[in-house]
Each structure stands twice: as structure tokens, then as C-alpha cells.
Amino acid sequence: MTRTVRFSELGDPEVLRIEEVPDPRPGPGELVVDVAAIGLNRAESMFRRGRYIEQAKLPAGLGYECSGTVSSIGPEVSRFAVGDRVSVVPGFSMNDYSVYADRALVPARAVVPLPESTNWVDGAAVWMPFLVGYGGLVETGGLRAGDHVLITAATSSVGLAAIAVATRVGAIPIATSRSSSKAQPLLDAGAAHVVATGEEDLVARVLEITGGRGVEHVFDAIAGPGVADLAKVTAKGGILTIHGLLSGEPTIFPTETLPDLWMRSYTLFAMTHDEERLRRAGAFVGAGLRSGDFRPQVDRVFPGLDTIVDAHTYLESNDQVGKIVVTP
């Protein structure tokens, strides 16, 4: 039998339950991973609460990201073999597959090789953040050396990865956090500047940093009414990319000023559902791992699936700097 996390109603972390189900059997194009570590993401909290970009079909499972060993493969799977070390990336709907379990059935197209030099915890923490950072900033955003990029909610795992991606291509990352108490960790992570939005004027500070020009790129995880200020600090012809909806509020284009910018949304599925894009992203992230430029920052590891309620409670506290991982 396999232990897995399920929920039958929307709500707080306490709705999560551990259930025993028959061991999964892979069908065509699928494989089973013996899970060593699970990376938690804000999307899973929003899915559990009914605030995600798709609604949960109850009862539902959870989880996009894990690392482990391939234990069985189905027909039409040729890229992997039993015993391979792998990571699972978000290339599916949580209504169809989930990885909060000690064994996870997943589509082979959402699996990437895990380098021998990368441990299980890092293997569960690296792909989601760095694929989002690479896909939103480089693959579709065209980030170049010398560009300034403003990264909101920068202490999140995606924010920290975006700082590393920007640094690797020679761009200049400006990080935001609500409090200056998190400034030093962001500077240590590679941010060139940190703006504490709860203590200083975002628009004035960013324009000061950029000599009044503004940033060529904004990489925003919050959305909502704050986009109006983000538009004010975007350089003419710049790109404002929204990759998250943490505010939970409606987002509109700032028509009162009709700024000269590109405003777009980005989800990881645009890349993980495209085999060629995912191949390029895997090459970029893999090279960063091997060189040491990309090292996922893990805030805390929770041991055992039985800690999943505590892990989700901590995820929603916003106290973490980096990734939260559960080891089944």
C-alpha cells in the first residue's frame, strides 16, 4: 500500500489527511517514483483553498514537485529505466496526478534526470523555482546582460531563483520584500538592491536606483492593485510579467497613464507542456547546477508525511526564506 495526502474539502491545512491506497501502476507514458523528498509550492496551498488557476475536483491530491528513484515504468516510456534518479516538475494538473505520497504516479514527460551530485532535498527544491525564473525571464522575457529586473516577493523560492537566473545572464536584480529584516538574505542571494516596500516608497526608490529610467523587466508574483506602481517603474518598452496571484485581488492594466510597456502573464505550464522548451530549460538549469551558480535555498525540511499539516501552516506563515521540503 502507498501512503498519500488527500483532502475532501477546501480550507485550512487541517483539511489534509493521510490515506493508504493501492500501489500505483503506470500506464502508457507513465512511471512511478519512490519519493525521497517533496518540494512545497504556494500553488498547492492555493489549490487546497480553492484559489488556484484551476479548481480541485474533490477528493483531490496535492503536489507538483518531488525527487526520487524510478521504481516502475509503463509502455511507451523509453527515456528512463528502473533505478534512475529523477526529479518531477510541474507538467500536469493536480486533478490528474499528485506527488504528496511515498510513491507517485506521474507522466514521464514531467520527469527530468537528477544529477548524481544533487541530493534528494535539493532535487525536490530546484526545478519549480528555476524553471519559472528561466521561463519567465529568459525563454519568453528575453532578459539580457545589463538589464535591470525588479523581482517582487523575492524571499520566496521562485524569487530567490529569479535572482540567481538574472545574475547568471548578467542582469541586475532588484529584490522587494515587505520588511528590511529580510534584506541581508536577499543581498546574500545575489540581489544588487533590496527595496522594503513596507518601509519605503517603491516607485521613488526604484527610479533612484535606475537613474530615473526604470527597469527593463518586472517579475511579479503578487498582482492585484500593486501593478499600478510596478507600471510606473517599468522603463519605456519594458516587460511587466505576472507569474503569481498572491494578492488574490483583481488585476487591471493601468489605463489611467497608458504606460508604454508590455504586460503579460506567465505560467510554468507554457514550458513544461512544450517538450522543446522544457529541453532548453533543463539544459540551462542543469548547467547552473553543475557550475554551482544554482543552489536552491531550503528554509526548512519537515520529516515524514505526517508533518504535512505543519508544513503547510508554515508555508502560509510567510516566515520562510526559500523552499520548504517534506521527506516522506
Side-chain angles (χ1 to χ4, degrees):
M1 299 291 285
T2 291
R3 300 179 78 227
T4 187
V5 175
R6 306 277 289 172
F7 61 104
S8 297
E9 59 181 312
L10 304 178
D12 293 336
E14 286 74 20
V15 303
L16 299 176
R17 298 286 185 270
I18 307 294
E19 298 181 6
E20 288 198 355
V21 299
D23 289 336
R25 294 184 177 181
E30 298 176 330
L31 54 79
V32 174
V33 175
D34 285 344
V35 178
I38 301 163
L40 271 58
N41 297 290
R42 182 69 65 174
E44 293 139 20
S45 167
M46 297 173 72
F47 188 68
R48 189 198 71 236
R49 288 188 177 275
R51 299 174 183 169
Y52 193 45
I53 56 176
E54 65 171 330
Q55 291 298 305
K57 298 177 182 178
L58 300 174
L62 270 179
Y64 275 134
E65 193 174 18
C66 72
S67 63
T69 306
V70 176
S71 60
S72 59
I73 59 175
E76 302 172 15
V77 176
S78 58
R79 293 192 301 121
F80 299 99
V82 171
D84 283 353
R85 288 166 47 90
V86 296
S87 291
V88 177
V89 302
F92 48 83
S93 165
M94 285 186 284
N95 283 315
D96 298 327
Y97 300 94
S98 58
V99 303
Y100 282 18
D102 49 25
R103 293 184 186 88
L105 174 71
V106 294
R109 57 178 165 75
V111 176
V112 294
L114 181 64
E116 290 289 339
S117 58
T118 304
N119 64 43
W120 295 125
V121 169
D122 285 354
V126 66
W127 290 101
M128 172 81 161
F130 282 96
L131 289 177
V132 172
Y134 166 81
L137 288 173
V138 180
E139 175 78 20
T140 61
L143 185 68
R144 301 165 300 182
D147 286 351
H148 284 83
V149 53
L150 181 67
I151 299 165
T152 67
T155 54
S156 68
S157 57
V158 171
L160 293 168
I163 291 172
V165 168
T167 301
R168 184 169 173 84
V169 301
I172 304 164
I174 303 171
T176 77
S177 179
R178 284 180 289 185
S179 169
S180 58
S181 64
K182 293 184 177 181
Q184 194 57 51
L186 290 170
L187 293 170
D188 293 342
H193 307 275
V194 178
V195 181
T197 56
E199 303 170 16
E200 52 190 326
D201 187 297
L202 171 69
V203 175
R205 182 72 179 110
V206 172
L207 292 179
E208 177 189 3
I209 291 169
T210 59
R213 187 182 68 257
V215 297
E216 286 79 15
H217 295 262
V218 173
F219 199 54
D220 178 41
I222 302 172
V227 166
D229 280 345
L230 298 180
K232 293 176 183 176
V233 301
T234 305
K236 290 183 179 180
I239 301 174
L240 197 169
T241 299
I242 296 172
H243 67 89
L245 303 169
L246 295 181
S247 75
E249 299 184 57
T251 303
I252 62 172
F253 189 85
T255 53
E256 68 278 5
T257 58
L258 289 178
D260 178 11
L261 59 82
W262 294 90
M263 183 172 166
R264 61 188 300 276
S265 60
Y266 172 80
T267 71
L268 184 58
F269 300 127
M271 187 168 53
T272 56
H273 289 178
D274 184 314
E275 187 173 345
E276 183 58 20
R277 281 186 170 186
L278 184 57
R279 182 194 65 78
R280 289 196 296 268
F284 182 88
V285 176
L289 286 172
R290 290 189 294 273
S291 70
D293 290 343
F294 293 166
R295 294 179 179 176
Q297 184 164 342
V298 177
D299 180 276
R300 185 171 173 184
V301 177
F302 286 80
L305 278 182
D306 293 326
T307 66
I308 195 65
V309 171
D310 290 339
H312 263 242
T313 300
Y314 185 57
L315 175 68
E316 294 185 342
S317 73
N318 293 319
D319 290 335
Q320 74 274 16
V321 177
K323 195 80 165 182
I324 300 168
V325 174
V326 174
T327 52

